[in-house]
Amino acid sequence: MAKLIAFAVAMALSGLLWVFLHTTDLGRAMRAASQNRDVAMLMGINPNRVFAVAFGTALALAGAAGSLLMPFYSAYPFVGQVFVLMAFVAVVMGTLGNVMGALIASLMMGVAESLGIQFVGADSGLIVVFAMLLLTLAFRPSGLGARRGR
């Protein structure tokens, strides 16, 4: 039950992040500054302020993720290394800068890892995920969430 609650909170935070990035002026400014800093400055956006808010948002979300994960894992200095690696894979597979693509890629990775552990063996979950990454990079180098023609 606790894992289901953690999943629901994580999905709610992901949805809130998407809403923030796509409906607020600050979210639009963040997306503009991340795509082209100089053009964003010409449009009156202060990139340093926007990057500071983006950094703070990332820290808050990382803290929320850590607090959601700690009931299931013992605490030691390098507890987050696997999660950072998996987050990187999800972002690469889902297309850099595409929150919805990363969310869909991470759900696919979770299902694939679970199926790999279930049917192949206990240590094969990460192998299945990295095989998915290699296949994605081989056939869709820009990521699963990228639009064609860009």
Side-chain angles (χ1 to χ4, degrees), residues 15-27:
L16 287 173
L17 176 65
W18 188 89
V19 167
F20 170 71
L21 288 175
H22 286 82
T23 61
T24 64
D25 289 337
L26 184 56

Side-chain angles (χ1 to χ4, degrees), residues 25-111:
D25 289 337
L26 184 56
R28 288 186 189 104
M30 280 183 184
R31 291 188 298 136
S34 72
Q35 289 179 7
N36 194 330
R37 180 185 179 112
D38 295 330
V39 173
M41 286 175 56
L42 290 173
M43 295 294 125
I45 297 170
N46 182 357
N48 293 329
R49 179 179 161 266
V50 167
F51 291 150
V53 171
F55 185 73
T57 304
L59 286 177
L61 289 172
S67 67
L68 290 173
L69 287 173
M70 286 318 300
F72 312 113
Y73 297 95
S74 58
Y76 58 95
F78 302 111
V79 70
Q81 281 184 331
V82 172
F83 301 114
V84 169
L85 183 62
M86 298 306 278
F88 176 73
V89 170
V91 167
V92 169
M93 278 180 56
T95 304
L96 187 65
N98 185 347
V99 176
M100 195 59 66
L103 180 64
I104 292 169
S106 63
L107 290 173
M108 289 173 41
M109 288 168 45
V111 170

